[in-house]
Amino acid sequence: MKSPVNYNPEIIDIISKIVNSDNPGVKLEKSEDGTKVSCNYKSATYNFHIDFPSELFNFDGNEVNFYNFQEFSKIVKTFKSPSISMNDSSFFLDMEKSSIEYILGDPNAIKKGFSKVISFEPDVTFNMSNESIKNLNSCKSLFGSEFLTFVYDNDILKATLTSKTRGDNKYEEYYSVENSSGVEVDIKIFALVVPTLSLGDWVVDISNDGLVRFTLQNNNGINLNLYCMKIDDWWR
């Protein structure tokens, strides 16, 4: 027996863009009252927590698992938002003259995400616009940058792209600080996070304890927080 799946293509696209190729598996879980869907995800370079109203992806049951969420997203996009239904083991994507059966993942085979969201008091907060992120992403590709460093000296916050293997080429962007605890900040993270940030505008919180949190600014009830650890203290 198939059950219809109501969904918004935006949420599928967002999740696809923040899933890293080193861990393509995703577990989506409903809240106890069924009003929200959430995912805690862990990769080698960043973690994220996302939750959103269940009407944006209202699957049957308490959870669904994907071996490769980016693959699923590509199918939905290629067939231009098909009708979706499901049973216990598969999604069915129906077009006018064709249909795809997409096998769901085994919950035991999907890599576990991190156990809980970390709360912290930031030492500095600032906004990163989508335009700024496009500049960073272009230069990351141009220079083969491996690292993104945030430095705040109680005046201007500077984001710098550098590479260990490609010489001394670097790119810098400057930001106005919204809030500060009055201490200096100097934190290096992996630049692999930069393409993921191309989703939109973000609020960035940095703690001298070695944690950077990117919060997507979104008006559709989508709560997305992406976490990066200081490289020296990488979160395992």
Side-chain angles (χ1 to χ4, degrees):
M1 186 76 173
K2 296 180 184 178
S3 302
V5 176
N6 298 319
Y7 71 99
N8 185 321
E10 179 191 18
I11 194 62
I12 293 178
D13 186 54
I14 285 175
I15 297 172
S16 174
K17 287 178 177 176
I18 55 179
V19 169
N20 195 299
S21 59
D22 76 347
N23 179 19
V26 166
K27 178 192 293 288
L28 297 175
E29 300 177 277
K30 281 185 181 175
S31 60
E32 290 186 5
D33 62 5
T35 61
K36 285 188 176 295
V37 175
S38 66
C39 174
N40 288 334
Y41 173 91
K42 182 176 182 179
S43 75
T45 52
Y46 57 81
N47 301 340
F48 72 75
H49 167 84
I50 187 169
D51 62 65
F52 51 88
S54 56
E55 60 260 28
L56 296 184
F57 194 9
N58 198 12
F59 52 82
D60 195 30
N62 296 324
E63 70 176 54
V64 288
N65 295 271
F66 296 85
Y67 290 118
N68 189 329
F69 197 87
Q70 291 175 333
E71 179 183 68
F72 174 74
S73 176
K74 287 178 182 177
I75 294 172
V76 172
K77 187 175 294 185
T78 298
F79 290 96
K80 298 179 180 179
S81 303
S83 297
I84 299 179
S85 58
M86 66 179 294
N87 61 20
D88 291 340
S89 60
S90 303
F91 273 134
F92 299 90
L93 294 83
D94 295 310
M95 287 67 69
E96 184 177 352
K97 296 182 179 181
S98 58
S99 180
I100 293 172
E101 180 177 2
Y102 190 85
I103 306 299
L104 293 172
D106 177 356
N108 297 319
I110 307 302
K111 187 184 296 186
K112 292 183 179 180
F114 62 101
S115 58
K116 63 180 181 178
V117 176
I118 295 178
S119 298
F120 66 94
E121 291 296 326
D123 288 304
V124 65
T125 299
F126 65 99
N127 295 321
M128 292 184 77
S129 68
N130 188 242
E131 180 180 359
S132 169
I133 291 163
K134 287 179 180 177
N135 292 338
L136 288 169
N137 202 26
S138 295
C139 290
K140 175 189 175 298
S141 299
L142 181 63
F143 297 139
S145 302
E146 299 164 288
F147 307 114
L148 175 62
T149 302
F150 294 109
V151 175
Y152 175 61
D153 60 3
N154 285 313
D155 182 18
I156 296 293
L157 190 140
K158 177 173 62 177
T160 304
L161 287 168
T162 57
S163 174
K164 182 178 179 181
T165 59
R166 294 282 297 273
D168 296 328
N169 293 330
K170 65 181 180 181
Y171 175 77
E172 296 180 343
E173 281 267 331
Y174 303 93
Y175 303 91
S176 298
V177 167
E178 298 295 319
N179 292 292
S180 169
S181 66
V183 300
E184 296 183 354
V185 170
D186 188 345
I187 288 182
K188 180 188 289 186
I189 62 175
F190 290 109
L192 284 171
V193 73
V194 175
T196 304
L197 300 175
S198 62
L199 287 167
D201 301 326
W202 301 76
V203 176
V204 186
D205 296 304
I206 301 177
S207 167
N208 266 331
D209 290 334
L211 185 64
V212 181
R213 177 177 60 208
F214 300 89
T215 301
L216 181 66
Q217 299 185 53
N218 182 276
N219 296 320
N220 295 328
I222 299 169
N223 173 38
L224 171 58
N225 289 291
L226 192 150
Y227 301 87
C228 295
M229 295 295 291
K230 183 179 179 180
I231 291 176
D232 293 343
D233 304 315
W234 178 234
W235 184 2
R236 296 291 183 183

